[in-house]
Amino acid sequence: MKKYLLGIALCFATVGAWANEAKLPKIELPTSPEALQRGAETVATVCLSCHNLKYIKYSDLSGLGFSKEKLGALSVGHGLDDSLMSPMSAEATKQAFGITPPDLSMMAKARVGGPHYVYAFVTGFYTNDKGKTDNHVFPGAKMPDVLGAASAKGEERTAIEYKAKEVAAFLEWAGDPKAQERRGLGRYVIAYLIVLTILLYLVKLRTWARLKEHHKRKHT
Amino acid sequence: MINRIIGWVDQRFPITAIIKHEATEYPVAPNLNYWWNFGSLAGVVLVLQIVTGIFLAMHYKADVTLAFDSIQHIMRSVNYGWLIRYIHATGASAFFAVIYIHISRTLYYGSYRGPRELLWWTGLLLLLLVMGAAFMGYLLPWGQMSFWGAQVITNLFGAIPLVGGHIVVLLRGDFSVGDPTLTRFFALHYLIPFIIAGAVVIHLVALHTVKSSNPSGLPIADKDNIPFHPYYTSKDLFGVGVFLIIFCSFVFFVPDAFIEPDNNIPANPMQTPPHIVPEWYFLPFYAILRSIPDKLLGVVGMGLGIVILAALPYLDRSKIPGGSRYRPIFKALFFVFIADAFVLGYVGAHPPEGPMVLIGRIATVIYFGYIVSMPFVSKWEESWLRKRGLPAPVQKYLDEQAAGGTK
């Protein structure tokens, strides 16, 4: 049903996005809480060196099923109500990389392809003819190849790809932490509406069945 | 007790008379099909938008430094804020979908024809008001597409000779889109829905004066009409149920379908997105704008795209009653027009390069050609149909009209 709805939606909206989306490989995102937790850990230990996730607080991460101990370890030096902010200031990162790294809380929503873009980007580093590291998805990207995707081969590469999938899945969660609650509630809402609509249809049938009677009364 | 209260009110305010006149005794043709559901459906969506909008306004901050964050606050921290916001965002698209179907039905069945001119005009006025509200509302999330969309559209007014520059500054409250623009758009976005509600009342008064048209193409005799309540209240409510199933499927399962990814990036006046696209419901008009090479004429063309529809009651000169029922050419051209609107929408969504430019121009010519050629086509179609011999009910109707005219 979701695909069908998306199809309808795409007929009307976001038409301009098709061309780009086609280039991104569609990946199977991990959904287990453990994978999301590992994704959160990678983001907190690697990405957070430069990027912020200002809309996510450490306490929000408990929604991923982190134990108290793990959460405590992850938020060392921070309060649970602190947002996930990089220790580097915006000025410092700008000096180091030439740009301010974008906030990651909405990253999986702010790019065409969403988490698939994130995955394709972090695994898309390669060494070009001039011996410099570049990116297939975002040529000229200022971000360094943090997972080491450009040089990795074989099993090492597989491990990196899995890590990237976890990161993409976590960032998708971070972009819309209420998504699971929304879909859960949605099932009940739709089920209720279907029953209601069937009842309304029966009411309509019964009402209109009286139409003949109505006409008889009027004409006699 | 209840009766005594109602009696007390009735002596001071005609509540019972109004209910009788507008519902329990309001006469409606018995043969309306489901395409006639979309008027009341538009009313339902209007209420939905006003109610969710008021709750959003309780948490939204109209300030360029806070607006984007306040939307995320609503999405993440406000109880069921995500639900209210997704209903409101999806509701905008639903509103246009419902209105466009409502208007298409009017065109297909010739419902705009006399004596329903004022009903048609108030309807077009409502469309323009809803477009204004939607355009201003789209700025409020203060994302990249919000900002650049507003920048591009307000800039269009600069094409007006002499006063254009002043109008742009007046709209923006500044020389470019900024905090004054956001605050005034928010104020107007809150105001316009109540003007819309008032215009809906006028639309309904006009409707209840001339009554609904019907799909038979011929007027229905008074004695055959049925009361609105309970027949059409029950039919409309079933329609609302079907609508809500589709609507909630979007809200709960693909709520981002109508939100551009770029609009999840905070507005940045220093960085133009490579491709500025308006929301889907503006795309056909955006395509007309871009298909006309001259800036001023483009703006005029875009506006005319809606305004010219007001002339339809006078451009349709056929004596054959109704719309498509007895008029095959009219019917065929209707489908050409609708297909053309979709083509324009497709062109509007793509950069004006390569074949898109030519397709857009052809589609623009067809769009206006449909309207401008209507006086000739409708007359020619009438004489062609008369030569072929009119169906008995139409002939009977025309004879009665002629007899009535000589009396």
Side-chain angles (χ1 to χ4, degrees):
Chain A
M1 173 152 96
K2 203 177 151 185
K3 269 189 188 149
Y4 170 67
L5 284 170
L6 199 65
I8 303 179
L10 282 172
C11 286
F12 295 108
T14 61
V15 197
W18 290 346
N20 290 329
E21 205 162 358
K23 285 182 217 151
L24 295 173
K26 283 269 178 266
I27 47 156
E28 191 83 27
L29 287 172
T31 52
S32 72
E34 293 76 26
L36 282 168
Q37 288 174 22
R38 283 194 298 272
E41 281 164 354
T42 309
V43 167
T45 50
V46 181
C47 311
L48 219 55
S49 316
C50 303
H51 293 273
N52 297 329
L53 278 84
K54 66 170 171 174
Y55 298 125
I56 300 290
K57 293 180 187 132
Y58 283 98
S59 57
D60 293 334
L61 296 179
S62 59
L64 293 176
F66 272 111
S67 64
K68 267 204 176 134
E69 297 76 47
K70 265 191 164 176
L71 203 56
L74 210 60
S75 63
V76 122
H78 301 273
L80 281 179
D81 275 335
D82 287 348
S83 296
L84 271 66
M85 300 295 268
S86 165
M88 269 176 100
S89 69
E91 292 81 47
T93 47
K94 184 151 190 169
Q95 243 175 9
F97 301 105
I99 54 158
T100 310
D103 190 275
L104 292 185
S105 355
M106 297 291 287
M107 190 47 73
K109 274 186 178 281
R111 294 291 181 276
V112 174
H116 305 285
Y117 175 93
V118 173
Y119 171 81
F121 176 70
V122 294
T123 58
F125 288 95
Y126 68 103
T127 312
N128 67 11
D129 314 337
K130 289 168 196 150
K132 290 219 168 111
T133 306
D134 203 348
N135 193 288
H136 287 299
V137 180
F138 186 175
K142 298 263 170 55
M143 188 178 115
D145 179 11
V146 285
L147 297 184
S151 54
K153 290 206 176 53
E155 260 177 49
E156 204 188 344
R157 171 86 194 171
T158 314
I160 286 173
E161 281 176 0
Y162 199 75
K163 212 169 199 178
K165 280 179 193 175
E166 291 167 350
V167 167
F170 169 71
L171 287 183
E172 188 184 38
W173 171 87
D176 192 355
K178 298 287 166 73
Q180 210 183 346
E181 180 191 353
R182 171 165 54 77
R183 285 189 283 263
L185 183 60
R187 272 180 213 114
Y188 290 106
V189 171
I190 299 290
Y192 171 83
L193 283 174
I194 288 172
V195 173
L196 176 72
T197 305
I198 291 170
L199 290 175
L200 286 172
Y201 184 64
L202 295 176
V203 169
K204 187 249 165 193
L205 282 187
R206 275 185 73 154
T207 309
W208 282 73
R210 295 206 305 256
L211 192 58
K212 274 184 199 147
E213 227 173 282
H214 174 85
H215 272 289
K216 243 186 258 164
R217 243 185 300 133
K218 232 175 154 184
H219 294 297
T220 47
Chain B
M1 182 62 191
I2 289 280
N3 284 338
R4 275 179 61 197
I5 293 172
I6 293 172
W8 186 91
V9 174
D10 267 335
Q11 282 176 345
R12 292 155 180 84
F13 182 89
I15 185 76
T16 309
I18 288 175
I19 291 171
K20 266 190 183 170
H21 187 261
E22 314 303 339
T24 54
E25 287 178 10
Y26 171 63
V28 189
N31 59 337
L32 302 190
N33 56 36
Y34 279 107
W35 295 110
W36 263 262
N37 275 51
F38 288 85
S40 65
L41 218 45
V44 170
V45 181
L46 175 65
V47 172
L48 205 61
Q49 290 299 83
I50 290 180
V51 172
T52 50
I54 288 170
F55 282 98
L56 286 175
M58 292 176 191
H59 304 281
Y60 173 74
K61 304 232 172 13
D63 179 315
V64 292
T65 58
L66 303 171
F68 191 90
D69 288 346
S70 73
I71 299 285
Q72 287 310 311
H73 168 70
I74 290 169
M75 293 298 290
R76 292 158 192 269
S77 306
V78 174
N79 284 334
Y80 290 101
W82 56 268
L83 179 57
I84 299 167
R85 194 248 176 161
Y86 276 148
I87 289 177
H88 199 74
T90 313
S93 282
F95 212 166
F96 280 97
V98 167
I99 290 177
Y100 284 154
I101 294 173
H102 189 54
I103 292 174
S104 303
R105 191 270 291 154
T106 307
L107 294 176
Y108 182 84
Y109 291 105
S111 306
Y112 53 80
R113 302 184 72 184
R116 298 190 177 83
E117 298 93 336
L118 274 176
L119 185 57
W120 175 233
W121 293 340
T122 51
L124 288 176
L125 178 72
L126 277 165
L127 172 64
L128 290 175
L129 285 168
V130 172
M131 285 180 150
F135 167 64
M136 294 188 177
Y138 195 58
L139 183 70
L140 306 185
W142 203 246
Q144 272 288 68
M145 217 41 97
S146 300
F147 178 87
W148 289 98
Q151 189 81 11
V152 168
I153 301 296
T154 51
N155 191 35
L156 293 177
F157 290 87
I160 298 166
L162 299 174
V163 291
H166 296 285
I167 292 177
V168 174
V169 173
L170 192 69
L171 284 171
R172 293 177 180 167
D174 200 343
F175 295 106
S176 75
V177 173
D179 202 56
T181 326
L182 184 62
T183 48
R184 70 186 50 198
F185 274 31
F186 179 55
L188 294 173
H189 184 70
Y190 207 117
L191 167 69
I192 293 174
F194 299 99
I195 298 177
I196 292 174
V200 166
V201 172
I202 297 173
H203 193 61
L204 285 177
V205 170
L207 171 69
H208 286 210
T209 306
V210 296
K211 313 287 188 277
S212 287
S213 61
N214 76 81
S216 77
L218 295 164
I220 300 278
D222 282 346
K223 66 175 172 57
D224 293 327
N225 282 335
I226 54 175
F228 185 82
H229 180 75
Y231 295 104
Y232 284 103
T233 35
S234 62
K235 195 169 180 175
D236 279 355
L237 276 174
F238 168 58
V240 169
V242 174
F243 166 80
L244 284 179
I245 292 173
I246 299 169
F247 180 72
C248 288
S249 303
F250 276 102
V251 168
F252 286 98
F253 298 106
V254 275
D256 284 319
F258 298 110
I259 299 175
E260 281 282 324
D262 261 342
N263 226 27
N264 289 313
I265 304 169
N268 182 355
M270 311 304 286
Q271 190 185 57
T272 317
H275 187 195
I276 300 173
V277 219
E279 292 290 83
W280 68 268
Y281 37 80
F282 289 134
L283 288 175
F285 306 103
Y286 190 57
I288 292 176
L289 168 82
R290 292 196 305 191
S291 294
I292 302 172
D294 181 77
K295 190 182 175 191
L296 176 60
L297 288 180
V299 174
V300 171
M302 183 173 68
L304 268 184
I306 294 167
V307 174
I308 202 170
L309 295 172
L312 280 180
Y314 298 100
L315 298 178
D316 188 350
R317 291 168 63 216
S318 177
K319 290 221 164 55
I320 313 288
S324 298
R325 178 68 178 84
Y326 294 111
R327 301 168 64 189
I329 311 280
F330 180 93
K331 184 177 179 173
L333 288 180
F334 165 82
F335 285 112
V336 170
F337 184 70
I338 296 298
D340 189 62
F342 275 96
V343 171
L344 280 171
Y346 183 80
V347 170
H350 290 79
E353 305 159 348
M356 284 300 155
V357 180
L358 184 65
I359 296 171
R361 285 185 185 160
I362 294 171
T364 302
V365 170
I366 293 175
Y367 185 95
F368 288 106
Y370 167 81
I371 296 160
V372 174
S373 68
M374 191 173 269
F376 315 104
V377 174
S378 59
K379 266 288 165 198
W380 171 78
E381 183 194 41
E382 184 190 336
S383 59
W384 176 67
L385 287 172
R386 279 180 191 275
K387 253 183 247 161
R388 283 177 68 201
L390 295 170
V394 177
Q395 193 61 54
K396 187 167 161 257
Y397 169 81
L398 289 175
D399 291 344
E400 278 168 11
Q401 290 292 105
T406 51
K407 244 179 233 169

